Amino acid sequence: GPLKPEITITYIAVSAIFFNSGLSLKTEELTSALMHVKLHLFVQIFTLVFFPTAIWVFLQLLSITPINEWLLKGLQTVGCMPPPVSSAVILTKAVGGNEAAAIFNSAFGSFLGIVITPLLLLLFLGSSSSVPFTSIFSQLFMTVVVPLIIGQIVRRYIKDWLERKKPPFGAISSCVLLMIIYTTFCDTFANPNIDLDKFSLIIIVFIIFSVQMSFMFLTFLFSTRNNSTFTPADTVAIVFCSTHKSLTLGIPMLKIVFAGYEYLSLISVPLLIYHPAQILLGSLLVPTIKSWMVSRQK
């Protein structure tokens, strides 16, 4: 169509989001959070090892049900995604948790995701033979890492102006992300071969909310056990960063890894549902988690 998503979305939109992230992320906070190694290990291992493995085991049980197999494959792609740059940080900040740790893990997880997520997708789902790993890595590197680094460099020179003017970075990223989501939905419903039955869709929505709640509870239990060295503020960052998944990086990555797949649109649906679900659930839980954190700190 006239939007030319194969150029504007694949390259320009994704690069714009990560350049924007590079401008908005405070370098000092990222470097100060660097030393909290135990927290970082917990978040990254849970997100990129435990999460996809647990989903894979769960899907072995669901494979005998009449749920659409491509939506189930989409659930597996959700498990393979890295943490998001925005939502986990925003919710951690709203509660009053360890925002610096949330920022570091979100950014660091995105960097790890460039290498690990395609490998996980190839491991659990396979890929079209026409897209070699070198192409995946080079495209993701040019559209994610390079804009993020350039954004950080530019921030160094216009830091005072950014602090004074406070540009609406969140609104800009949201607008670009909305464009990515729109074109993905267009791909989904423009394909006449898509067979999206209501039963499968309703079940997938229920599973996504259940998985989100279960994993939030699990990370909460692990990070608050007696021999844990995490503070209540650390726990807040862990709960959100470990269970949230990136749509910003996820949709472009799926478009690259599964280029040419007839059912790419269906595979994308669970991730498109998971993203608003994590924001909705997180927002609803903010008052409860905040009161818990305050009482623990007292």
Side-chain angles (χ1 to χ4, degrees):
L3 289 177
K4 299 291 181 189
E6 66 277 7
I7 298 171
T8 56
I9 299 300
T10 308
Y11 297 100
I12 300 172
V14 180
S15 299
I17 283 180
F18 283 95
F19 174 74
N20 195 35
S21 296
L23 273 179
S24 59
L25 286 171
K26 292 183 179 178
T27 314
E28 317 84 61
E29 290 182 352
L30 289 177
T31 51
S32 67
L34 184 64
M35 303 310 294
H36 210 333
V37 178
K38 187 179 177 182
L39 189 151
H40 307 327
L41 281 174
F42 182 98
V43 171
Q44 302 306 328
I45 290 172
F46 189 94
T47 307
L48 296 170
V49 179
F50 177 81
F51 202 128
T53 306
I55 292 291
W56 182 81
V57 172
F58 183 47
L59 291 182
Q60 301 312 301
L61 301 173
L62 289 178
S63 62
I64 60 173
T65 66
I67 302 171
N68 188 295
E69 65 169 310
W70 297 103
L71 288 178
L72 292 180
K73 288 180 186 292
L75 274 178
Q76 184 65 68
T77 67
V78 171
C80 297
M81 291 300 148
V85 173
S86 56
S87 61
V89 176
I90 292 166
L91 290 168
T92 301
K93 185 176 183 178
V95 173
N98 191 338
E99 187 188 353
I103 291 171
F104 178 84
N105 277 285
S106 295
F108 184 57
S110 295
F111 277 107
L112 282 179
I114 292 166
V115 179
I116 296 175
T117 296
L119 289 174
L120 289 173
L121 291 170
L122 295 170
L123 173 67
F124 287 111
L125 298 168
S127 176
S128 58
S129 56
S130 60
V131 184
F133 178 74
T134 49
S135 291
I136 298 167
F137 184 81
S138 60
Q139 187 171 339
L140 286 171
F141 186 82
M142 291 306 295
T143 56
V144 177
V145 180
V146 172
L148 197 61
I149 292 172
I150 292 172
Q152 284 281 284
I153 293 169
V154 172
R155 179 184 172 82
R156 183 170 293 183
Y157 292 100
I158 61 169
K159 183 181 173 183
D160 293 337
W161 181 85
L162 290 172
E163 294 294 331
R164 192 169 62 253
K165 294 291 184 180
K166 298 190 183 302
F169 290 117
I172 294 168
S173 289
S174 296
C175 289
V176 179
L177 187 58
L178 189 63
M179 186 178 172
I180 294 174
I181 295 169
Y182 170 72
T183 56
T184 305
F185 269 107
C186 286
D187 282 347
T188 303
F189 297 106
N191 188 339
N193 299 319
I194 292 297
D195 181 24
L196 189 59
D197 61 290
K198 290 179 182 177
F199 168 77
S200 294
L201 194 59
I202 292 168
I203 295 297
I204 288 295
V205 171
F206 175 75
I207 290 171
I208 284 170
F209 274 93
S210 301
V211 165
Q212 176 78 6
M213 286 297 293
S214 301
F215 283 0
M216 287 180 82
F217 183 64
L218 195 61
T219 52
F220 179 81
L221 284 181
F222 270 111
S223 59
T224 55
R225 66 190 192 281
N226 292 332
N227 60 344
S228 169
T229 57
F230 298 125
T231 64
D234 291 340
T235 296
V236 174
I238 286 168
V239 167
F240 289 127
C241 290
S242 300
T243 58
H244 281 212
K245 294 293 185 176
S246 176
L247 180 70
T248 311
L249 187 60
I251 293 298
M253 196 177 288
L254 289 180
K255 285 179 177 291
I256 296 167
V257 177
F258 297 109
Y261 260 47
E262 183 184 353
Y263 294 99
L264 170 62
S265 302
L266 274 181
I267 291 173
S268 305
V269 168
L271 186 58
L272 290 170
I273 297 170
Y274 194 95
H275 182 74
Q278 69 190 11
I279 295 171
L280 177 63
L281 278 174
S283 302
L284 291 173
L285 289 170
V286 161
T288 307
I289 298 174
K290 193 169 187 174
S291 62
W292 168 82
M293 191 183 77
V294 171
S295 64
R296 279 293 296 269
Q297 286 174 334
K298 285 179 180 177

